[in-house]
Amino acid sequence: MGRGKIEIKKIENATNRQVTYSKRRNGLFKKAQELTVLCDAKVSLIMFSSTGKFHEFLSPNISTKGFFDLYQKTTGIDLWNSHYERMEENYRRLKEINKKLRREIRQRMGGDLSELNIKELQALEAKMDSSLLAIRERKYHVIKTQTDKHKKKVRNLEERHANLIMDLEAKLDGQDGIVETGGYYESTMGLLPNGASNLYALRLYQNQQPPLVLHDGTNDLRLA
């Protein structure tokens, strides 16, 4: 019993479509190989799958360039000249764009203005004002960012300085009192011009009694 006729239409299932493509592609390449051997034909096949994969078959008795040269000679179509013309046209277009951009740069620098009319000058002025505004906004953003960074750094240094002062004052407070030599000392704390506490000034009175305070508030100045 023979196989039923297959309807020629796009296979919707992607997996089945890829399997069918691979099988029929191999069949075409096999037929091309047979034509090359049996008939001494020159065959070239170029195929792209739906996924963009490239497959090619070329008879071993001819090169790719030779095949296209033979094609041009037979059909009278010059593939290389048409390609060269397209490349040349694209080059002229890019060259004109480059020329226009260079002229705009010179005009923004204050040159090549003699050929511009009043409307073109006004348009150029508007473009420069817009560019200047964008530059200033960027400059202010950079300045603000750097200022905030330095302010944060200063705050961190001030906090470290305050912590060091507190630690030092706590250590000195723990040492305040009568010393073993029988004397005593007084601690005084002043303020520096910037408002921060200075180091404790220590005054040590060796082998002396505390000064006598009279009823009137004055110190007894008796000699030892």
Side-chain angles (χ1 to χ4, degrees):
M1 184 175 178
R3 221 172 29 170
K5 186 176 181 181
I6 299 176
E7 183 181 1
I8 303 300
K9 66 176 184 179
K10 180 181 177 180
I11 301 175
E12 297 299 333
N13 185 277
T15 303
N16 295 338
R17 184 168 62 245
Q18 184 62 32
V19 172
T20 302
Y21 172 80
S22 299
K23 289 182 178 180
R24 300 210 171 197
R25 179 198 66 210
N26 294 334
L28 283 175
F29 286 172
K30 183 179 180 181
K31 291 296 182 182
Q33 177 68 22
E34 292 175 355
L35 284 172
T36 300
V37 176
L38 296 175
C39 306
D40 194 26
K42 297 176 178 62
V43 182
S44 176
L45 293 176
I46 298 175
M47 303 176 63
F48 291 92
S49 68
S50 59
T51 58
K53 292 183 178 180
F54 168 74
H55 301 92
E56 179 186 24
F57 172 84
L58 182 66
S59 298
N61 55 0
I62 191 172
S63 64
T64 302
K65 182 180 183 303
F67 190 88
F68 282 105
D69 290 340
L70 182 61
Y71 174 82
Q72 291 183 108
K73 182 179 179 181
T74 304
T75 60
I77 300 175
D78 194 340
L79 298 175
W80 314 124
N81 282 343
S82 59
H83 180 65
Y84 174 77
E85 289 175 358
R86 288 194 298 270
M87 291 180 61
E88 193 174 32
E89 178 62 27
N90 186 50
Y91 170 73
R92 286 195 295 267
R93 182 178 60 84
L94 294 176
K95 187 176 180 180
E96 184 63 27
I97 292 175
N98 182 64
K99 181 179 179 181
K100 182 179 180 181
L101 291 175
R102 287 179 177 274
R103 183 171 61 252
E104 289 183 358
I105 292 174
R106 289 195 300 270
Q107 289 173 351
R108 294 197 179 196
M109 296 287 292
D112 290 354
L113 301 178
S114 59
E115 298 179 357
L116 300 181
N117 56 35
I118 184 63
K119 290 184 178 181
E120 292 173 338
L121 290 171
Q122 290 175 345
L124 178 61
E125 183 181 14
K127 290 180 181 179
M128 295 185 67
D129 289 341
S130 177
S131 300
L132 183 60
L133 179 61
I135 293 172
R136 285 176 176 172
E137 289 179 353
R138 177 59 185 172
K139 181 186 70 173
Y140 294 148
H141 173 74
V142 173
I143 292 174
K144 184 178 183 302
T145 302
Q146 293 180 350
T147 302
D148 294 341
K149 182 179 179 181
H150 289 303
K151 285 182 177 180
K152 184 178 180 180
K153 186 176 181 179
V154 170
R155 285 195 300 269
N156 292 336
L157 292 175
E158 289 177 347
E159 291 178 0
R160 290 179 59 187
H161 179 263
N163 292 334
L164 291 173
I165 292 298
M166 291 178 61
D167 292 342
L168 181 59
E169 290 176 352
K171 290 179 180 180
L172 292 176
D173 286 342
Q175 297 175 358
D176 194 7
I178 300 175
V179 297
E180 295 180 356
T181 57
Y184 73 95
Y185 65 86
E186 295 178 353
S187 62
T188 60
M189 181 177 67
L191 293 178
L192 296 176
N194 58 3
S197 300
N198 68 344
L199 299 178
Y200 276 85
L202 303 178
R203 294 185 300 171
L204 181 63
Y205 299 88
Q206 295 289 345
N207 301 323
Q208 292 185 12
Q209 295 295 330
L212 179 63
V213 180
L214 302 180
H215 293 290
D216 59 356
T218 61
N219 292 341
D220 185 2
L221 301 180
R222 292 174 300 174
L223 297 176

